[in-house]
Amino acid sequence: MHLQPKFLFPGQQENEQIHLVTRQHWFILFKHIVIWLVFVVFLFIFDSSIAPAYPSLSAAPAEQFVNFVKTLYIMLLVAGLFTIWVIYYLNFQIVTNERIVDMTQKNLLHHTTSELHLGRLQDVTAEIKGVFGTFFDYGNVYVQTAGEQARFQFDNIPDPQNVAKLILDLYEKLPAEQKVLKE
Amino acid sequence: MLIFAKLVFYFLMSAITLYALISVYALIRFAQSKALALIVSALFLIIMLSLFGAAVGNFRQIPFEQFSFFY
């Protein structure tokens, strides 16, 4: 979802205006949670099908051991859900009147911040593909640059076409001296 | 062997605790909204502490002497 651009981000320049802060579409988070739910269902399958089939698991001394394993399993499930949400929350992109900032959290211990000055923009492409992308209006935006990083990529963001349009409009508003001459 | 089981248990708990603390740190360090990060982290830690307590309780209830392979 597009957030209200009212807050500051680290490294923001003076007089720099935030026009957009965006993350992956909520459906991507939903898909990850559905996969996580499959592991939750294992617990219910165990209680409803496996435990009744093996009565010894519900009697001492196995019962206490099974309870212990189930508690450990639930701890891992909770940690997994928290990780899914943290990775989703910490991956976002910011579009200002001067640049594009891409905050990427690849895993808990790998955080990258990439910046692209709008003046180095060469091409912007919006892409929507697949059934869910079409119905929920999310997709990718590719930003071709003249910099060291050849292509900036926004993955699975909502309303990619308007995001691409916004970036192009901001580029057009840049003073001519800030634009890198296109080859 | 009971001591071995305890060592394994505390090693597992330490690993899970370390993972939880690292994930909380990453969230608080890089989050846009520190308030949201703190609230979610607090909720997560409360749940994990409760589960940790339950795990310790369940572990202490295991009658290791009745498992023949422990002795």
Side-chain angles (χ1 to χ4, degrees):
Chain A
M1 67 187 80
H2 298 325
L3 305 177
Q4 292 298 322
K6 56 186 175 184
F7 41 78
L8 302 175
F9 63 93
Q12 184 176 357
Q13 304 295 324
E14 196 175 333
N15 298 324
E16 189 173 9
Q17 301 166 356
I18 298 175
H19 286 266
L20 175 71
V21 180
T22 186
R23 289 194 173 87
Q24 288 189 328
H25 195 273
W26 62 263
F27 189 75
I28 305 301
L29 177 64
F30 175 74
K31 282 200 291 188
H32 291 150
I33 290 177
V34 165
I35 295 169
W36 173 81
L37 280 173
V38 170
F39 292 93
V40 174
V41 165
F42 285 159
L43 270 178
F44 292 98
I45 290 174
F46 177 84
D47 283 339
S48 61
S49 304
I50 298 175
Y54 298 93
S56 59
L57 291 176
S58 304
E63 182 187 17
Q64 288 83 0
F65 186 74
V66 168
N67 288 339
F68 169 69
V69 172
K70 283 163 73 173
T71 306
L72 268 185
Y73 188 73
I74 292 171
M75 286 181 84
L76 292 174
L77 285 179
V78 171
L81 181 64
F82 184 71
T83 303
I84 288 170
W85 184 81
V86 165
I87 299 295
Y88 169 81
Y89 182 71
L90 294 183
N91 278 282
F92 59 95
Q93 294 82 32
I94 302 171
V95 178
T96 75
N97 61 325
E98 294 181 11
R99 55 190 167 141
I100 301 170
V101 181
D102 182 15
M103 306 281 199
T104 303
Q105 190 83 22
K106 294 182 182 175
N107 55 54
L108 289 177
L109 296 175
H110 189 168
H111 182 90
T112 61
T113 302
S114 306
E115 293 182 16
L116 164 69
H117 194 279
L118 285 178
R120 305 191 74 85
L121 204 75
Q122 293 202 324
D123 183 53
V124 181
T125 305
E127 175 189 64
I128 296 177
K129 59 180 181 180
V131 173
F132 295 116
T134 303
F135 278 109
F136 292 107
D137 191 22
Y138 69 84
N140 305 325
V141 172
Y142 303 105
V143 181
Q144 199 73 29
T145 78
E148 183 179 321
Q149 185 176 354
R151 195 160 93 153
F152 239 63
Q153 185 170 333
F154 296 7
D155 290 325
N156 297 313
I157 60 169
D159 200 8
Q161 288 167 332
N162 278 331
V163 171
K165 182 179 181 302
L166 171 69
I167 293 172
L168 284 169
D169 289 345
L170 289 171
Y171 173 80
E172 292 301 325
K173 289 178 186 174
L174 281 178
E177 61 270 15
Q178 290 189 27
K179 296 179 184 176
V180 172
L181 289 175
K182 296 184 180 181
E183 296 176 6
Chain B
M1 295 305 286
L2 176 58
I3 295 174
F4 175 73
K6 283 184 177 178
L7 280 175
V8 170
F9 169 71
Y10 285 116
F11 174 77
L12 279 174
M13 289 295 107
S14 302
I16 292 173
T17 303
L18 186 64
Y19 183 85
L21 291 176
I22 288 172
S23 54
V24 165
Y25 172 75
L27 175 63
I28 293 174
R29 167 101 191 265
F30 297 115
Q32 288 176 279
S33 169
K34 301 300 182 192
L36 177 64
L38 284 171
I39 290 169
V40 173
S41 299
L43 197 65
F44 170 69
L45 288 175
I46 288 169
I47 293 172
M48 290 299 278
L49 273 172
S50 305
L51 289 170
F52 177 77
V56 170
N58 287 336
F59 181 78
R60 285 179 181 166
Q61 285 184 351
I62 297 174
F64 288 101
E65 61 278 4
Q66 294 186 29
F67 290 105
S68 58
F69 53 83
F70 278 106
Y71 294 95

